Amino acid sequence: MRGTPATPGKPDTSATPATPGTSLALTPPAELRGHLTARLGTAARAWLHRALSEAAAHPGTHGPISVWELRIAEAGRRCGAEHADAARVLILHAARADVDAVTRVYFQGTAAERRAVLHALPHLVPGPQALPLVEDALRTNDTRLLAAAVGPYAARHLDPHQWRHAVLKCLFTGVPVIAVADLDRRAHSDAELARMLSDYAAERTAAGRPVPEDLYRVLTLTDPTATPPAPAAGRGTHDSDDTRRTHGTDGTDAKES
């Protein structure tokens, strides 16, 4: 996440992480704040500083909604869509949001706000108490929400059965498996995951449909001695009908605030 320092009053967008969600979940908040403020314009930096100060000073609920929750809702407009996830993660951390707070923000929030909550979980919740939020996200077809759901918190706390189905959900919806945190370790020598992947590949092949290339990558992790079969000649690795189903009202093209 290293880049050229921002010109005063002008945001620097010269560098973005290769896997933004995983980076947000793994980067220490102090370091994340430095990366973000270097890329925001003057007005956005001032707004973020005020928002974080308010969250730190008043982490609890004041009235029907806490002031920091209002700032989470404003982040997209104030910082721009490109930086809103990071800003929301920082506000949640500054507010010391507990399980009740992140649950409230998640279920009352937009898709973008829910995604930020999922990115923030490793920084806020040490135990598995927030797993219902991950499980809810895994039931959607919003590919950006799914990618956030399979981050470090899920890798740490999902049980093997849930985690295997999360990997399959990524394959079903076209979420690149690079988004799955700790994939190499959790997939290693997982015979049940190998069986599920093989069954899915056989079903696709029998139906005359291409098998996602990512499936072979994960299958190799489950059995390092396996040789992945080559994709069928003349067919791509993505099915156009499947790709269309990952977008639209529930997918990555959905309108966010």
Side-chain angles (χ1 to χ4, degrees):
M1 296 178 67
R2 186 177 304 165
T4 304
T7 302
K10 183 177 180 181
D12 169 24
T13 58
S14 62
T16 55
T19 52
T22 301
S23 294
L24 289 174
L26 292 175
T27 305
E31 184 178 342
L32 181 61
R33 182 173 181 175
H35 293 320
L36 180 57
T37 55
R39 288 160 175 78
L40 292 176
T42 302
R45 281 200 302 271
W47 177 86
L48 180 64
H49 178 75
R50 288 194 303 271
L52 296 179
S53 296
E54 288 173 340
H58 305 288
T61 301
H62 298 268
I65 189 169
S66 59
V67 65
W68 58 266
E69 291 179 63
L70 295 173
R71 302 299 171 248
I72 284 175
E74 293 176 8
R77 177 164 54 88
R78 298 288 191 169
C79 297
E82 180 182 2
H83 303 300
D85 281 3
R88 290 177 174 127
V89 169
L90 289 172
I91 293 169
L92 285 162
H93 183 265
R96 303 187 292 281
D98 60 12
V99 175
D100 289 340
V102 295
T103 299
R104 182 175 65 251
V105 172
Y106 179 91
F107 283 110
Q108 293 180 357
T110 64
E113 290 160 21
R114 292 183 177 201
R115 189 171 64 241
V117 168
L118 295 170
H119 292 325
L121 289 181
H123 302 301
L124 299 172
V125 185
Q129 297 90 340
L131 272 179
L133 309 186
V134 174
E135 293 163 357
D136 178 82
L138 290 173
R139 288 192 288 268
T140 75
N141 289 320
D142 182 330
T143 54
R144 296 182 74 186
L145 199 60
L146 288 170
V150 292
Y153 189 82
R156 189 179 307 153
H157 297 297
L158 280 179
D159 67 33
H161 176 78
Q162 292 174 308
W163 186 82
R164 292 178 191 121
H165 281 277
V167 173
L168 284 175
K169 185 66 177 277
C170 289
L171 295 172
F172 295 158
T173 57
V175 173
V177 295
I178 192 174
V180 181
D182 214 7
L183 176 65
D184 291 9
R185 180 186 66 82
R186 291 211 60 169
H188 181 69
S189 299
D190 188 332
E192 178 60 15
L193 178 59
R195 183 196 65 76
M196 294 168 69
L197 294 170
S198 297
D199 288 349
Y200 178 52
E203 290 171 5
R204 300 277 299 185
T205 301
R209 308 183 77 180
V211 178
E213 188 173 293
D214 269 356
L215 183 146
Y216 298 127
R217 177 187 172 191
V218 181
L219 187 59
T220 300
L221 293 173
T222 67
D223 179 6
T225 65
T227 302
R235 299 291 295 275
T237 57
H238 298 284
D239 185 287
S240 59
D241 291 337
D242 287 350
T243 301
R244 282 195 294 270
R245 277 197 291 272
T246 66
H247 297 284
T249 56
D250 290 327
T252 56
D253 293 337
K255 184 178 180 181
E256 295 180 348
S257 63

